[in-house]
Amino acid sequence: MIRLAAPRFGPDEERAIRDVLSSGKLVQGRHVREFEELIAGRVGSTEAVALSSGTAALHASLLALGIGPGDIVILPAFSFIATANVVELCGARPVFIDVEADTFNIDPELLELGLTDMRSRGESVKVILPVHAFGRVADMAAIKRIAQAHGQAVVEDAACALGAYSEGRPAGTWGSVGCFSFHPRKVVTTGEGGVAVTDDPQIARNLRMLRNHGQDPLGEAFDSVMPGFNYRMTEIQAALGIEQVGKLDGIIRLRRSISQRYDEALRHTAVTVSSPAPEGAAVYQSYVVLLPGELAASRRALIDALRVDGIEISVGTWHMPMTTYFRERYGYRSGQFPVTDDVSRRAISLPMHEGVTQDDQVYVVDRLLARLEELTPALLSPTVTGRRMAVGDDS
Ligand SMILES: *Cc1c(COP(=O)(O)O)cnc(C)c1O
C-alpha cells in the first residue's frame, strides 16, 4: 500500500526516547525547554510554549488573548475542524470566510468585505485566525494590513506550516501568536504535540499558566491564579521533536520535489492542480488536487477503487460551516461559501511523505487517471438510459 502519510524515524529518535526513559524524568524537564528554544530559534520569536497538541495551542492562545463569550473570531471556511472548535470552546462566535480555489487559503478580499459589512452592523471582530492550508502560507501581508486597518489581533493557525515563509517572514510570526502542530500527519511529528510562538511576554506567561493548572511561572509554588488545563507536552514528545525538527529542512526539500513531480504529471489532465506557491511559501504537508466537477459525486468510489490498486488517498479537508454542529447552531446553508462548497466536494489528497518514490508517483498518477476514465462512462449512463427510454416511448 502506498500510504497517504507515513512519518519516518531512525536510530536518532530511538536513542532520544531511550535517553528520556533512562533519565526517569518524563515531564517538565530539560527536553521540553530545549524543544521550545529550538522552535523559537527556528522561527525567530522570543517565546515558544510547548503544549500537548496543536488544538491545545490554538485553544490556549485564544484564551491567552482574553477571547471569551460575546467575542467574534473570523476564520476560513475550509480547514481542519479544530480551527473552528477552539473558537466555540472559548464561548466566542466563529464567522467563516470563503477561500481561494487555487490556494485553499482565506480570500483577503472577502475578508475585507466581511469585516466592513460586520462593522456596518455594529459587530466588532476581536481576532482574525488565518490558516495556512496544507502547509502553504496565506497572504499574510494583506491579512496583516486588513487587521491593522480594522483593529484586530491575528492568531495564525500554522499547524501544517512549520518552516514556511511569506515574503521572507516565517509562518507563525505574523500575528500576536502562531500555533504549530506536531501530529503524525504534519511534516515533522512528536506523536501528539503543539507549540505556540509569540513575541509578547504576557501572552507567553498566560500560555504557561493555561497549560499548567493556572500556576504562574513567575509566582509562588502551590498557588493558582486562574483555572488552567493540563495541556503540557511530555519529555518523550519533546525529545522526539528535537530530532525531527533537526531534519526539517531536508524533509521540506524532499516534499517540494515530490510536489513538483505531481504538478508536472497532472497539469493538463482532468484534475486541477493548485497554483504554484512562491519560493519558500509552502512545506507541502499534503498534496491536494481537484477532481472535475462532474466527478465530485464519484469521489468515494474513486478513493475505494484506488485502495484496490494499493494507493491510499483521502478527501482534502473540512467544510466547517456545513458540519452538523456549526450548521445547526448558526443556520449556515450551502451557497454561502461557493468556493468551499465546490472545493470541499472535489478535493483529494494524494500520498505525500518522504517514502514516496518516483516510481510510486508514476504509478499513483497512472492509476488515478485510469480510474477517473473508468468513472466517466458511469456518469453518462443516466443520459444513455434516458435516451433509450425516449426511443421506447416513440415506438
Ligand atoms: C492538524 C491541525 C490542527 C490540530 O492539530 P492537532 O495537533 O492535531 O491538535 C489544527 N488546525 C489545522 C489546520 C490542522 O491541520
Side-chain angles (χ1 to χ4, degrees), residues 23-46:
S23 80
K25 188 159 176 62
L26 298 187
V27 296
Q28 293 175 289
R30 71 173 177 84
H31 292 92
V32 170
R33 274 196 307 277
E34 199 181 309
F35 185 54
E36 290 177 339
E37 282 163 18
L38 186 64
I39 300 295
R42 168 89 209 190
V43 303
S45 64
T46 55

Side-chain angles (χ1 to χ4, degrees), residues 113-236:
L113 283 173
L115 283 167
T116 306
D117 185 46
M118 290 176 78
R119 190 157 61 181
S120 73
R121 281 185 277 132
E123 293 180 317
S124 90
V125 177
K126 278 271 178 68
V127 167
I128 301 175
L129 178 50
V131 178
H132 305 316
F134 311 121
R136 176 183 183 147
V137 192
D139 185 349
M140 289 311 299
I143 293 165
K144 190 81 189 238
R145 184 182 46 72
I146 293 165
Q148 273 164 353
H150 290 260
Q152 281 91 33
V154 173
V155 174
E156 283 174 80
D157 182 343
C160 299
L162 180 66
Y165 293 82
S166 177
E167 304 190 2
R169 186 163 173 175
T173 63
W174 283 83
S176 304
V177 201
C179 299
F180 300 109
S181 164
F182 294 88
H183 183 271
R185 272 298 303 276
K186 313 307 185 199
V187 173
V188 288
T189 185
T190 58
E192 299 281 5
V195 171
V197 295
T198 181
D199 285 337
D200 182 328
Q202 189 54 48
I203 293 175
R205 188 174 171 187
N206 288 348
L207 284 166
R208 294 201 164 91
M209 291 192 275
L210 285 160
R211 80 168 167 188
N212 192 27
H213 309 289
Q215 298 182 76
D216 186 351
L218 306 176
E220 298 286 321
F222 300 102
D223 189 24
S224 171
V225 298
M226 63 156 86
F229 304 94
N230 177 354
Y231 270 176
R232 297 186 306 254
M233 175 178 273
T234 69
E235 285 286 287
I236 294 176

